[in-house]
Amino acid sequence: MLVDFAQQVEHSEGLTAEESIYQACILRFRPILMTTMAALLGGVPMMMGTGVGSEIRQPLGYAIVGGLALSQILTLYTTPVVYIYLDRLQSRLFGEKKKPAASVDAQPQAAE
């Protein structure tokens, strides 16, 4: 979600990679967190369960909750960094400079 949104903003608004991934992090943090928390909290009853056969399901609950929590933290910190590094690598390899998007207000001047 972060990379797709950052690319969309970068191409439509002509922002740099740093600005576009920052925008993506600000605007997409809540939906990403809500999705992960829904899945994580769905695994809590399995992790905390007691009763017949719960000793078999508890390790799966721990794996789900721990894995989602760790991956959420790592993803939110590493995705922007990797996005910026790959953009810099692309500009070094191919020598492409980002062009600002053409504004709607820009009208060609009529020659007098």
Side-chain angles (χ1 to χ4, degrees):
M1 286 177 70
L2 285 177
V3 172
D4 184 45
F5 187 81
Q7 286 180 340
Q8 181 182 7
V9 169
E10 188 174 346
H11 293 299
S12 66
E13 296 182 16
L15 299 176
T16 64
E18 291 87 3
E19 293 168 339
S20 64
I21 197 69
Y22 180 74
Q23 285 271 356
C25 288
I26 297 238
L27 295 174
R28 293 291 159 200
F29 175 73
R30 183 175 164 198
I32 292 170
L33 189 64
M34 287 171 51
T35 304
T36 304
M37 291 306 291
L40 188 141
L41 292 175
V44 169
M46 191 183 306
M47 181 180 77
M48 303 298 287
T50 59
V52 179
S54 65
E55 64 274 358
I56 294 173
R57 290 186 298 273
Q58 275 185 342
L60 179 61
Y62 283 118
I64 291 171
V65 171
L68 283 171
L70 182 65
S71 69
Q72 179 72 20
I73 291 169
L74 288 176
T75 299
L76 289 175
Y77 282 113
T78 59
T79 301
V81 173
V82 170
Y83 183 80
I84 292 171
Y85 283 155
L86 288 177
D87 184 69
R88 289 180 183 169
L89 178 67
Q90 178 185 1
S91 65
R92 283 186 189 155
L93 290 177
F94 301 112
E96 295 178 4
K97 294 291 179 185
K98 301 290 181 199
K99 298 176 192 172
S103 65
V104 178
D105 299 331
Q107 304 265 338
Q109 297 286 339
E112 292 183 24

